Amino acid sequence: MQTVMAFVVGALYAAGLYLMMRRSIFKLIIGLALLSHGSNLFLFLMGYLTRGGPPITPPEAVRPVAPFADPLPQALILTAIVIGFGVQAFAVVLIRRAHETLGTDDLDKMQSTDVD
Amino acid sequence: MKVLLLLPLLIPLLTAIISLLVWDRRLQRIFGVIGMAGLLGSAVGLLRTVCKEGIQAVQVGGWPAPFGITLVADVFAAIMVVMAGLMGLAVMVYSLTSMDKRRESFGYYPLTHIMLMGVCGSFLTGDIFNLYVWFEVMLIASFVLTELGSEKAQLEGAIKYVTLNLVSSALFLTAVGVLYGMVGTLNMADLANQLAKVKPSGLVTTASMLFFLAFGIKAAVFPLFFWLPASYHTPPVSVSAIFAALLTKVGVYALIRVFSLLFTGQTAATHGLILAVAGLTMATGVLGAVAQNDFRRLLSFHIVSQIGYMIMGLGLFTPLGLAGSIFHIVHNMLAKTNLFLISGVVHRVKGTYQLSSLGGLSRSSPGLAILFLVSAFSLAGMPPLSGFWSKLILVQAGLQAREYTIVAVALVVSLLTLYSMTKIWNEVFWKTDPAEGEQEPAKTDSFGEAESSLALLAPIVVIGCLIVSIGLAAQPVFALFEKAAHQLMNPAEYIRAVLGELP
């Protein structure tokens, strides 16, 4: 399972970066979303996948029973997902506004700030 | 005095909440100035405490060190918070008259406070994931500030700015993942301990390079700086000024923190790379600036160029080099913000940023011309202004470390900086006004009200005085920076302050 997930993470990064290099701003946003999903999943994998081992300490013990799932990466990606959601919502509104104002969705035509 | 560590976060947050609740422009302005002054006051208090009693740490929520989130302030972090407060206050006073009604009524003031909170949080946190969260707080506020007003150029700039910063955030998150998978901790002091025990391997190098990329994009180093000159000149000048003062410096701060505390195992490779990047950043930035004909775009390229000097000291990785870096960060925040603010005043008087259509300001407003000269010569490194000393220290550190190439680059770039500053001087202030003799209705209304020009000029005069006084009293200031550099080079004190006497 670990190996499969590693390939999934790689595919998400690759797809995200590929879409970001296209010219359309719509694909740019999809690419950004995939990239952030990729890094979230990567963070999750870094705690290693453990099935059916909740990190609960039995009443008489001081630490949870040996193979238990690391709760910290899950807490981290929860934070990262919430932040990513907010930022992507902003980005979607931004490209809609940009498309309305600039009248194009082609990134190659958005050069007025690079030349004076 | 643990509360002093929390105040730089709580004051901007409270001010932002109050500004959102009252939602009245006039009250927001008053609260804005009070809040920024409070931030500056608490930051100065923090710096004094840190200097007197050593590194301060707070375990938020009472969770002991490696498990909970820690806030830490060493001298370096405290200096940066003071500078953030100072720049925040200066820009806030400046925007009282320069910000237009529309942007004010769409929440310019609360957003600025939130951004300041993110900046101070990034300086004070002692937890690598928490640093990510503060970065995002700062970024989201800055995204809205770049876009606020929705002018055509702003939207274009904002798309570039948002995209590159989100890529950098994804890389940062990945780097945190690699670190956590390797040593299983997120507390920076604990990470430093654990990484010292790990043998240098490909994984450590991968993590360090991911951090370098992520912070490098935010700090705008070569070859990752292209978003900066494409976006920094698009928003109103007070937004540009606060961005120039703080945002890239947060990236530099994170670079210095991570590469002085965590990744010190393979300094030959990592810091050698940083040194090479520093030289290239200086050179490409200043060469880009030479080709520009717009006041603010020219200054944007100089931001990039100056970032090179800041990480040069980190690349040398000697106490003197780091002290030089910190000196340069402080000096650059003052000089660069002031230049942006002056460009705003010039725009108000003349109605354009194009160098070719400006001119004659040395006769019509000689005071402004002198203020520009002070900041511009300081940026170029003329004695006795602040920029001279920071560059002198960096060059001295470079010579001591026998890195002659970087010293040569730094000196040549310094000359080119002087060239581009004299170019602005000639075009904007010295040459005769191309529009002279014609009817100029725009010129008369500019300095109409005495109080409006006072709020515009007061921050510029105060920062100008600071530049001169740092230049004239370089020794006591340098002693402070040396202390900060000493703490960075000897992380044991930092680790002890966070983790207690344990390891």
Side-chain angles (χ1 to χ4, degrees), chain A residues 13 20 42-43 46 70 72 76 87 97 101-102 110 112-114 116, chain B residues 129 143 150 152 155-156 160 166-167 173-174 177 180 230 292-293 297:
Chain A
Y13 273 101
M20 286 178 68
F42 178 78
L43 203 56
M46 273 302 155
D70 190 347
L72 192 67
L76 297 186
V87 173
R97 196 66 188 268
T101 313
L102 304 170
M110 299 184 184
S112 71
T113 62
D114 285 324
D116 49 18
Chain B
F129 189 77
F143 289 166
S150 297
K152 211 175 155 204
L155 287 169
E156 268 188 37
K160 293 163 193 171
L166 289 185
V167 172
L173 209 53
T174 315
Y180 184 76
Q292 298 304 317
N293 279 311
R297 278 181 62 81

PDB file of all heavy atoms in Angstrom, chain A residues 13 20 42-43 46 70 72 76 87 97 101-102 110 112-114 116, chain B residues 129 143 150 152 155-156 160 166-167 173-174 177 180 230 292-293 297:
ATOM      1  N   TYR A  13       2.040  15.250  -8.045  1.00  0.00           N
ATOM      2  CA  TYR A  13       3.014  16.331  -8.251  1.00  0.00           C
ATOM      3  C   TYR A  13       3.218  16.571  -9.748  1.00  0.00           C
ATOM      4  O   TYR A  13       3.217  17.715 -10.206  1.00  0.00           O
ATOM      5  CB  TYR A  13       4.364  15.977  -7.623  1.00  0.00           C
ATOM      6  CG  TYR A  13       4.481  16.354  -6.174  1.00  0.00           C
ATOM      7  CD1 TYR A  13       4.338  15.407  -5.178  1.00  0.00           C
ATOM      8  CD2 TYR A  13       4.761  17.658  -5.809  1.00  0.00           C
ATOM      9  CE1 TYR A  13       4.455  15.736  -3.848  1.00  0.00           C
ATOM     10  CE2 TYR A  13       4.881  18.003  -4.470  1.00  0.00           C
ATOM     11  CZ  TYR A  13       4.725  17.041  -3.500  1.00  0.00           C
ATOM     12  OH  TYR A  13       4.829  17.382  -2.194  1.00  0.00           O
ATOM     13  N   MET A  20       0.306  23.383 -14.450  1.00  0.00           N
ATOM     14  CA  MET A  20       0.698  24.767 -14.187  1.00  0.00           C
ATOM     15  C   MET A  20       1.494  25.364 -15.327  1.00  0.00           C
ATOM     16  O   MET A  20       1.562  26.577 -15.477  1.00  0.00           O
ATOM     17  CB  MET A  20       1.537  24.840 -12.913  1.00  0.00           C
ATOM     18  CG  MET A  20       0.694  24.671 -11.686  1.00  0.00           C
ATOM     19  SD  MET A  20       1.700  24.692 -10.244  1.00  0.00           S
ATOM     20  CE  MET A  20       2.207  26.362 -10.290  1.00  0.00           C
ATOM     21  N   PHE A  42       1.570  13.407   0.834  1.00  0.00           N
ATOM     22  CA  PHE A  42       2.944  13.081   1.179  1.00  0.00           C
ATOM     23  C   PHE A  42       3.176  13.218   2.682  1.00  0.00           C
ATOM     24  O   PHE A  42       3.768  12.355   3.332  1.00  0.00           O
ATOM     25  CB  PHE A  42       3.887  14.010   0.405  1.00  0.00           C
ATOM     26  CG  PHE A  42       5.330  13.797   0.708  1.00  0.00           C
ATOM     27  CD1 PHE A  42       6.013  12.736   0.141  1.00  0.00           C
ATOM     28  CD2 PHE A  42       6.016  14.654   1.550  1.00  0.00           C
ATOM     29  CE1 PHE A  42       7.349  12.525   0.420  1.00  0.00           C
ATOM     30  CE2 PHE A  42       7.341  14.447   1.837  1.00  0.00           C
ATOM     31  CZ  PHE A  42       8.018  13.391   1.262  1.00  0.00           C
ATOM     32  N   LEU A  43       2.656  14.316   3.235  1.00  0.00           N
ATOM     33  CA  LEU A  43       2.784  14.554   4.671  1.00  0.00           C
ATOM     34  C   LEU A  43       2.115  13.421   5.452  1.00  0.00           C
ATOM     35  O   LEU A  43       2.638  12.940   6.464  1.00  0.00           O
ATOM     36  CB  LEU A  43       2.116  15.889   4.995  1.00  0.00           C
ATOM     37  CG  LEU A  43       2.545  16.632   6.243  1.00  0.00           C
ATOM     38  CD1 LEU A  43       4.021  16.879   6.214  1.00  0.00           C
ATOM     39  CD2 LEU A  43       1.813  17.958   6.327  1.00  0.00           C
ATOM     40  N   MET A  46       4.144  10.252   5.527  1.00  0.00           N
ATOM     41  CA  MET A  46       5.350  10.332   6.328  1.00  0.00           C
ATOM     42  C   MET A  46       5.144   9.797   7.741  1.00  0.00           C
ATOM     43  O   MET A  46       6.106   9.514   8.449  1.00  0.00           O
ATOM     44  CB  MET A  46       5.835  11.784   6.384  1.00  0.00           C
ATOM     45  CG  MET A  46       6.722  12.117   5.229  1.00  0.00           C
ATOM     46  SD  MET A  46       8.107  10.989   5.230  1.00  0.00           S
ATOM     47  CE  MET A  46       8.596  10.986   3.553  1.00  0.00           C
ATOM     48  N   ASP A  70       0.323   7.068  13.733  1.00  0.00           N
ATOM     49  CA  ASP A  70       0.828   8.344  14.251  1.00  0.00           C
ATOM     50  C   ASP A  70      -0.230   9.424  14.022  1.00  0.00           C
ATOM     51  O   ASP A  70      -0.593   9.714  12.889  1.00  0.00           O
ATOM     52  CB  ASP A  70       2.125   8.692  13.515  1.00  0.00           C
ATOM     53  CG  ASP A  70       2.831   9.872  14.152  1.00  0.00           C
ATOM     54  OD1 ASP A  70       2.195  10.545  14.979  1.00  0.00           O
ATOM     55  OD2 ASP A  70       4.004  10.101  13.818  1.00  0.00           O
ATOM     56  N   LEU A  72      -0.045  12.642  14.600  1.00  0.00           N
ATOM     57  CA  LEU A  72       0.423  13.991  14.320  1.00  0.00           C
ATOM     58  C   LEU A  72       0.302  14.378  12.848  1.00  0.00           C
ATOM     59  O   LEU A  72      -0.240  15.438  12.532  1.00  0.00           O
ATOM     60  CB  LEU A  72       1.859  14.167  14.820  1.00  0.00           C
ATOM     61  CG  LEU A  72       2.311  15.622  14.826  1.00  0.00           C
ATOM     62  CD1 LEU A  72       1.527  16.423  15.849  1.00  0.00           C
ATOM     63  CD2 LEU A  72       3.791  15.730  15.103  1.00  0.00           C
ATOM     64  N   LEU A  76      -1.611  17.509  11.162  1.00  0.00           N
ATOM     65  CA  LEU A  76      -0.938  18.483  10.297  1.00  0.00           C
ATOM     66  C   LEU A  76      -1.690  18.654   8.993  1.00  0.00           C
ATOM     67  O   LEU A  76      -1.932  19.779   8.543  1.00  0.00           O
ATOM     68  CB  LEU A  76       0.499  18.038   9.998  1.00  0.00           C
ATOM     69  CG  LEU A  76       1.454  17.941  11.172  1.00  0.00           C
ATOM     70  CD1 LEU A  76       2.852  17.634  10.660  1.00  0.00           C
ATOM     71  CD2 LEU A  76       1.467  19.210  11.982  1.00  0.00           C
ATOM     72  N   VAL A  87      -7.041  29.184   0.517  1.00  0.00           N
ATOM     73  CA  VAL A  87      -6.213  29.823  -0.504  1.00  0.00           C
ATOM     74  C   VAL A  87      -6.753  29.519  -1.897  1.00  0.00           C
ATOM     75  O   VAL A  87      -6.813  30.395  -2.765  1.00  0.00           O
ATOM     76  CB  VAL A  87      -4.756  29.335  -0.361  1.00  0.00           C
ATOM     77  CG1 VAL A  87      -3.928  29.842  -1.512  1.00  0.00           C
ATOM     78  CG2 VAL A  87      -4.172  29.812   0.942  1.00  0.00           C
ATOM     79  N   ARG A  97     -12.048  36.963 -11.637  1.00  0.00           N
ATOM     80  CA  ARG A  97     -11.943  38.414 -11.732  1.00  0.00           C
ATOM     81  C   ARG A  97     -10.959  38.812 -12.824  1.00  0.00           C
ATOM     82  O   ARG A  97     -11.219  39.720 -13.620  1.00  0.00           O
ATOM     83  CB  ARG A  97     -11.473  38.924 -10.372  1.00  0.00           C
ATOM     84  CG  ARG A  97     -11.658  40.386 -10.137  1.00  0.00           C
ATOM     85  CD  ARG A  97     -13.116  40.700 -10.093  1.00  0.00           C
ATOM     86  NE  ARG A  97     -13.334  42.132 -10.042  1.00  0.00           N
ATOM     87  CZ  ARG A  97     -13.451  42.814  -8.917  1.00  0.00           C
ATOM     88  NH1 ARG A  97     -13.392  42.198  -7.762  1.00  0.00           N
ATOM     89  NH2 ARG A  97     -13.648  44.113  -8.945  1.00  0.00           N
ATOM     90  N   THR A 101     -11.687  41.013 -16.147  1.00  0.00           N
ATOM     91  CA  THR A 101     -11.056  42.316 -16.363  1.00  0.00           C
ATOM     92  C   THR A 101     -10.117  42.302 -17.556  1.00  0.00           C
ATOM     93  O   THR A 101     -10.085  43.250 -18.336  1.00  0.00           O
ATOM     94  CB  THR A 101     -10.267  42.728 -15.102  1.00  0.00           C
ATOM     95  OG1 THR A 101     -11.106  42.516 -13.975  1.00  0.00           O
ATOM     96  CG2 THR A 101      -9.861  44.176 -15.166  1.00  0.00           C
ATOM     97  N   LEU A 102      -9.340  41.220 -17.672  1.00  0.00           N
ATOM     98  CA  LEU A 102      -8.324  41.198 -18.722  1.00  0.00           C
ATOM     99  C   LEU A 102      -8.875  40.676 -20.040  1.00  0.00           C
ATOM    100  O   LEU A 102      -8.271  40.877 -21.090  1.00  0.00           O
ATOM    101  CB  LEU A 102      -7.129  40.340 -18.303  1.00  0.00           C
ATOM    102  CG  LEU A 102      -6.457  40.752 -16.988  1.00  0.00           C
ATOM    103  CD1 LEU A 102      -5.451  39.707 -16.554  1.00  0.00           C
ATOM    104  CD2 LEU A 102      -5.772  42.094 -17.143  1.00  0.00           C
ATOM    105  N   MET A 110      -0.579  37.841 -20.568  1.00  0.00           N
ATOM    106  CA  MET A 110      -0.540  38.687 -19.362  1.00  0.00           C
ATOM    107  C   MET A 110       0.885  39.156 -19.118  1.00  0.00           C
ATOM    108  O   MET A 110       1.551  38.730 -18.198  1.00  0.00           O
ATOM    109  CB  MET A 110      -1.036  37.893 -18.159  1.00  0.00           C
ATOM    110  CG  MET A 110      -2.444  37.439 -18.335  1.00  0.00           C
ATOM    111  SD  MET A 110      -3.012  36.621 -16.875  1.00  0.00           S
ATOM    112  CE  MET A 110      -4.620  36.095 -17.423  1.00  0.00           C
ATOM    113  N   SER A 112       1.785  42.613 -19.363  1.00  0.00           N
ATOM    114  CA  SER A 112       1.916  44.073 -19.286  1.00  0.00           C
ATOM    115  C   SER A 112       2.722  44.488 -18.061  1.00  0.00           C
ATOM    116  O   SER A 112       3.303  45.559 -18.059  1.00  0.00           O
ATOM    117  CB  SER A 112       0.546  44.727 -19.262  1.00  0.00           C
ATOM    118  OG  SER A 112      -0.069  44.481 -18.033  1.00  0.00           O
ATOM    119  N   THR A 113       2.774  43.630 -17.013  1.00  0.00           N
ATOM    120  CA  THR A 113       3.551  44.027 -15.844  1.00  0.00           C
ATOM    121  C   THR A 113       5.031  43.681 -16.000  1.00  0.00           C
ATOM    122  O   THR A 113       5.842  44.062 -15.184  1.00  0.00           O
ATOM    123  CB  THR A 113       3.036  43.351 -14.563  1.00  0.00           C
ATOM    124  OG1 THR A 113       3.180  41.941 -14.711  1.00  0.00           O
ATOM    125  CG2 THR A 113       1.593  43.686 -14.312  1.00  0.00           C
ATOM    126  N   ASP A 114       5.384  42.941 -17.056  1.00  0.00           N
ATOM    127  CA  ASP A 114       6.783  42.573 -17.238  1.00  0.00           C
ATOM    128  C   ASP A 114       7.529  43.545 -18.144  1.00  0.00           C
ATOM    129  O   ASP A 114       8.748  43.581 -18.148  1.00  0.00           O
ATOM    130  CB  ASP A 114       6.897  41.167 -17.821  1.00  0.00           C
ATOM    131  CG  ASP A 114       6.605  40.114 -16.777  1.00  0.00           C
ATOM    132  OD1 ASP A 114       6.985  40.346 -15.624  1.00  0.00           O
ATOM    133  OD2 ASP A 114       5.993  39.086 -17.104  1.00  0.00           O
ATOM    134  N   ASP A 116       7.746  47.652 -19.628  1.00  0.00           N
ATOM    135  CA  ASP A 116       7.206  48.956 -19.230  1.00  0.00           C
ATOM    136  C   ASP A 116       7.023  49.903 -20.413  1.00  0.00           C
ATOM    137  O   ASP A 116       6.944  49.474 -21.551  1.00  0.00           O
ATOM    138  CB  ASP A 116       8.083  49.626 -18.165  1.00  0.00           C
ATOM    139  CG  ASP A 116       9.542  49.642 -18.527  1.00  0.00           C
ATOM    140  OD1 ASP A 116       9.833  49.459 -19.723  1.00  0.00           O
ATOM    141  OD2 ASP A 116      10.381  49.799 -17.631  1.00  0.00           O
TER     142      ASP A 116
ATOM    143  N   PHE B 129       6.280  23.557  11.661  1.00  0.00           N
ATOM    144  CA  PHE B 129       4.967  23.529  11.021  1.00  0.00           C
ATOM    145  C   PHE B 129       4.192  24.802  11.337  1.00  0.00           C
ATOM    146  O   PHE B 129       3.459  25.326  10.501  1.00  0.00           O
ATOM    147  CB  PHE B 129       4.161  22.300  11.457  1.00  0.00           C
ATOM    148  CG  PHE B 129       2.896  22.132  10.662  1.00  0.00           C
ATOM    149  CD1 PHE B 129       2.939  21.618   9.378  1.00  0.00           C
ATOM    150  CD2 PHE B 129       1.679  22.526  11.176  1.00  0.00           C
ATOM    151  CE1 PHE B 129       1.786  21.498   8.626  1.00  0.00           C
ATOM    152  CE2 PHE B 129       0.522  22.398  10.426  1.00  0.00           C
ATOM    153  CZ  PHE B 129       0.574  21.890   9.153  1.00  0.00           C
ATOM    154  N   PHE B 143      -2.008  38.405  -0.367  1.00  0.00           N
ATOM    155  CA  PHE B 143      -2.718  38.146  -1.632  1.00  0.00           C
ATOM    156  C   PHE B 143      -3.825  39.173  -1.822  1.00  0.00           C
ATOM    157  O   PHE B 143      -3.964  39.781  -2.886  1.00  0.00           O
ATOM    158  CB  PHE B 143      -3.382  36.762  -1.641  1.00  0.00           C
ATOM    159  CG  PHE B 143      -2.422  35.610  -1.729  1.00  0.00           C
ATOM    160  CD1 PHE B 143      -2.851  34.313  -1.450  1.00  0.00           C
ATOM    161  CD2 PHE B 143      -1.113  35.798  -2.105  1.00  0.00           C
ATOM    162  CE1 PHE B 143      -1.978  33.246  -1.532  1.00  0.00           C
ATOM    163  CE2 PHE B 143      -0.227  34.742  -2.188  1.00  0.00           C
ATOM    164  CZ  PHE B 143      -0.674  33.461  -1.893  1.00  0.00           C
ATOM    165  N   SER B 150      -8.441  45.813  -7.726  1.00  0.00           N
ATOM    166  CA  SER B 150      -8.726  45.117  -8.991  1.00  0.00           C
ATOM    167  C   SER B 150      -8.402  45.918 -10.227  1.00  0.00           C
ATOM    168  O   SER B 150      -9.175  45.946 -11.169  1.00  0.00           O
ATOM    169  CB  SER B 150     -10.193  44.684  -9.063  1.00  0.00           C
ATOM    170  OG  SER B 150     -10.446  43.773  -8.058  1.00  0.00           O
ATOM    171  N   LYS B 152      -6.169  46.467 -13.648  1.00  0.00           N
ATOM    172  CA  LYS B 152      -5.733  45.452 -14.605  1.00  0.00           C
ATOM    173  C   LYS B 152      -4.340  44.905 -14.250  1.00  0.00           C
ATOM    174  O   LYS B 152      -4.129  43.703 -14.140  1.00  0.00           O
ATOM    175  CB  LYS B 152      -5.715  46.088 -15.997  1.00  0.00           C
ATOM    176  CG  LYS B 152      -6.005  45.109 -17.087  1.00  0.00           C
ATOM    177  CD  LYS B 152      -6.107  45.821 -18.429  1.00  0.00           C
ATOM    178  CE  LYS B 152      -5.771  44.812 -19.492  1.00  0.00           C
ATOM    179  NZ  LYS B 152      -5.295  45.357 -20.712  1.00  0.00           N
ATOM    180  N   LEU B 155      -4.246  42.682 -11.129  1.00  0.00           N
ATOM    181  CA  LEU B 155      -4.717  41.310 -11.269  1.00  0.00           C
ATOM    182  C   LEU B 155      -3.652  40.448 -11.923  1.00  0.00           C
ATOM    183  O   LEU B 155      -3.410  39.314 -11.506  1.00  0.00           O
ATOM    184  CB  LEU B 155      -6.016  41.288 -12.088  1.00  0.00           C
ATOM    185  CG  LEU B 155      -7.221  41.810 -11.331  1.00  0.00           C
ATOM    186  CD1 LEU B 155      -8.387  42.024 -12.260  1.00  0.00           C
ATOM    187  CD2 LEU B 155      -7.602  40.849 -10.229  1.00  0.00           C
ATOM    188  N   GLU B 156      -3.006  41.007 -12.954  1.00  0.00           N
ATOM    189  CA  GLU B 156      -1.931  40.257 -13.596  1.00  0.00           C
ATOM    190  C   GLU B 156      -0.817  39.944 -12.614  1.00  0.00           C
ATOM    191  O   GLU B 156      -0.344  38.817 -12.511  1.00  0.00           O
ATOM    192  CB  GLU B 156      -1.343  41.089 -14.747  1.00  0.00           C
ATOM    193  CG  GLU B 156      -2.001  40.819 -16.059  1.00  0.00           C
ATOM    194  CD  GLU B 156      -1.261  41.516 -17.182  1.00  0.00           C
ATOM    195  OE1 GLU B 156      -0.023  41.584 -17.124  1.00  0.00           O
ATOM    196  OE2 GLU B 156      -1.930  41.987 -18.105  1.00  0.00           O
ATOM    197  N   LYS B 160       0.587  36.065 -10.794  1.00  0.00           N
ATOM    198  CA  LYS B 160       1.973  35.580 -10.705  1.00  0.00           C
ATOM    199  C   LYS B 160       2.399  35.413  -9.256  1.00  0.00           C
ATOM    200  O   LYS B 160       3.022  34.407  -8.871  1.00  0.00           O
ATOM    201  CB  LYS B 160       2.893  36.562 -11.429  1.00  0.00           C
ATOM    202  CG  LYS B 160       2.637  36.575 -12.916  1.00  0.00           C
ATOM    203  CD  LYS B 160       3.224  37.783 -13.587  1.00  0.00           C
ATOM    204  CE  LYS B 160       2.654  37.891 -14.998  1.00  0.00           C
ATOM    205  NZ  LYS B 160       3.008  39.136 -15.649  1.00  0.00           N
ATOM    206  N   LEU B 166       2.198  29.879  -3.839  1.00  0.00           N
ATOM    207  CA  LEU B 166       1.552  28.607  -3.508  1.00  0.00           C
ATOM    208  C   LEU B 166       2.485  27.448  -3.821  1.00  0.00           C
ATOM    209  O   LEU B 166       2.533  26.458  -3.084  1.00  0.00           O
ATOM    210  CB  LEU B 166       0.232  28.465  -4.268  1.00  0.00           C
ATOM    211  CG  LEU B 166      -0.865  29.393  -3.771  1.00  0.00           C
ATOM    212  CD1 LEU B 166      -2.167  29.108  -4.485  1.00  0.00           C
ATOM    213  CD2 LEU B 166      -1.071  29.248  -2.282  1.00  0.00           C
ATOM    214  N   VAL B 167       3.235  27.543  -4.914  1.00  0.00           N
ATOM    215  CA  VAL B 167       4.218  26.497  -5.208  1.00  0.00           C
ATOM    216  C   VAL B 167       5.213  26.403  -4.070  1.00  0.00           C
ATOM    217  O   VAL B 167       5.553  25.314  -3.584  1.00  0.00           O
ATOM    218  CB  VAL B 167       4.953  26.798  -6.539  1.00  0.00           C
ATOM    219  CG1 VAL B 167       6.090  25.825  -6.750  1.00  0.00           C
ATOM    220  CG2 VAL B 167       3.988  26.724  -7.698  1.00  0.00           C
ATOM    221  N   LEU B 173       5.791  22.475   2.625  1.00  0.00           N
ATOM    222  CA  LEU B 173       5.048  21.401   3.289  1.00  0.00           C
ATOM    223  C   LEU B 173       5.732  20.058   3.044  1.00  0.00           C
ATOM    224  O   LEU B 173       5.865  19.230   3.952  1.00  0.00           O
ATOM    225  CB  LEU B 173       3.621  21.384   2.739  1.00  0.00           C
ATOM    226  CG  LEU B 173       2.531  20.881   3.654  1.00  0.00           C
ATOM    227  CD1 LEU B 173       2.565  21.619   4.966  1.00  0.00           C
ATOM    228  CD2 LEU B 173       1.177  21.072   2.992  1.00  0.00           C
ATOM    229  N   THR B 174       6.182  19.844   1.801  1.00  0.00           N
ATOM    230  CA  THR B 174       6.892  18.606   1.485  1.00  0.00           C
ATOM    231  C   THR B 174       8.159  18.480   2.321  1.00  0.00           C
ATOM    232  O   THR B 174       8.456  17.409   2.862  1.00  0.00           O
ATOM    233  CB  THR B 174       7.260  18.589  -0.010  1.00  0.00           C
ATOM    234  OG1 THR B 174       6.136  19.001  -0.756  1.00  0.00           O
ATOM    235  CG2 THR B 174       7.679  17.208  -0.442  1.00  0.00           C
ATOM    236  N   GLY B 177       7.379  17.448   5.678  1.00  0.00           N
ATOM    237  CA  GLY B 177       7.071  16.020   5.676  1.00  0.00           C
ATOM    238  C   GLY B 177       8.333  15.176   5.704  1.00  0.00           C
ATOM    239  O   GLY B 177       8.434  14.220   6.484  1.00  0.00           O
ATOM    240  N   TYR B 180       9.874  15.359   9.154  1.00  0.00           N
ATOM    241  CA  TYR B 180       9.120  14.620  10.170  1.00  0.00           C
ATOM    242  C   TYR B 180       9.290  13.121   9.987  1.00  0.00           C
ATOM    243  O   TYR B 180       9.446  12.380  10.960  1.00  0.00           O
ATOM    244  CB  TYR B 180       7.635  15.006  10.118  1.00  0.00           C
ATOM    245  CG  TYR B 180       6.845  14.322  11.212  1.00  0.00           C
ATOM    246  CD1 TYR B 180       6.929  14.781  12.507  1.00  0.00           C
ATOM    247  CD2 TYR B 180       6.072  13.195  10.942  1.00  0.00           C
ATOM    248  CE1 TYR B 180       6.257  14.147  13.524  1.00  0.00           C
ATOM    249  CE2 TYR B 180       5.382  12.561  11.946  1.00  0.00           C
ATOM    250  CZ  TYR B 180       5.480  13.043  13.244  1.00  0.00           C
ATOM    251  OH  TYR B 180       4.819  12.408  14.251  1.00  0.00           O
ATOM    252  N   ALA B 230       7.505  41.503 -11.282  1.00  0.00           N
ATOM    253  CA  ALA B 230       6.263  41.490 -12.060  1.00  0.00           C
ATOM    254  C   ALA B 230       5.061  41.884 -11.222  1.00  0.00           C
ATOM    255  O   ALA B 230       4.001  42.171 -11.763  1.00  0.00           O
ATOM    256  CB  ALA B 230       6.038  40.109 -12.659  1.00  0.00           C
ATOM    257  N   GLN B 292      15.663  49.370 -16.395  1.00  0.00           N
ATOM    258  CA  GLN B 292      14.289  49.812 -16.156  1.00  0.00           C
ATOM    259  C   GLN B 292      14.123  51.314 -16.303  1.00  0.00           C
ATOM    260  O   GLN B 292      15.055  52.081 -16.067  1.00  0.00           O
ATOM    261  CB  GLN B 292      13.845  49.406 -14.753  1.00  0.00           C
ATOM    262  CG  GLN B 292      13.841  47.920 -14.530  1.00  0.00           C
ATOM    263  CD  GLN B 292      12.985  47.197 -15.538  1.00  0.00           C
ATOM    264  OE1 GLN B 292      11.890  47.631 -15.842  1.00  0.00           O
ATOM    265  NE2 GLN B 292      13.488  46.091 -16.049  1.00  0.00           N
ATOM    266  N   ASN B 293      12.903  51.722 -16.671  1.00  0.00           N
ATOM    267  CA  ASN B 293      12.614  53.140 -16.790  1.00  0.00           C
ATOM    268  C   ASN B 293      11.415  53.567 -15.963  1.00  0.00           C
ATOM    269  O   ASN B 293      10.889  54.646 -16.150  1.00  0.00           O
ATOM    270  CB  ASN B 293      12.367  53.509 -18.250  1.00  0.00           C
ATOM    271  CG  ASN B 293      13.679  53.679 -18.958  1.00  0.00           C
ATOM    272  OD1 ASN B 293      14.566  54.374 -18.471  1.00  0.00           O
ATOM    273  ND2 ASN B 293      13.828  53.012 -20.082  1.00  0.00           N
ATOM    274  N   ARG B 297       9.480  49.917 -10.682  1.00  0.00           N
ATOM    275  CA  ARG B 297      10.052  48.664 -11.187  1.00  0.00           C
ATOM    276  C   ARG B 297      11.550  48.631 -10.931  1.00  0.00           C
ATOM    277  O   ARG B 297      12.121  47.596 -10.596  1.00  0.00           O
ATOM    278  CB  ARG B 297       9.779  48.525 -12.687  1.00  0.00           C
ATOM    279  CG  ARG B 297       8.407  47.988 -12.998  1.00  0.00           C
ATOM    280  CD  ARG B 297       8.207  47.854 -14.482  1.00  0.00           C
ATOM    281  NE  ARG B 297       9.139  46.915 -15.097  1.00  0.00           N
ATOM    282  CZ  ARG B 297       8.991  45.599 -15.092  1.00  0.00           C
ATOM    283  NH1 ARG B 297       7.967  45.072 -14.499  1.00  0.00           N
ATOM    284  NH2 ARG B 297       9.857  44.824 -15.679  1.00  0.00           N
TER     285      ARG B 297
END
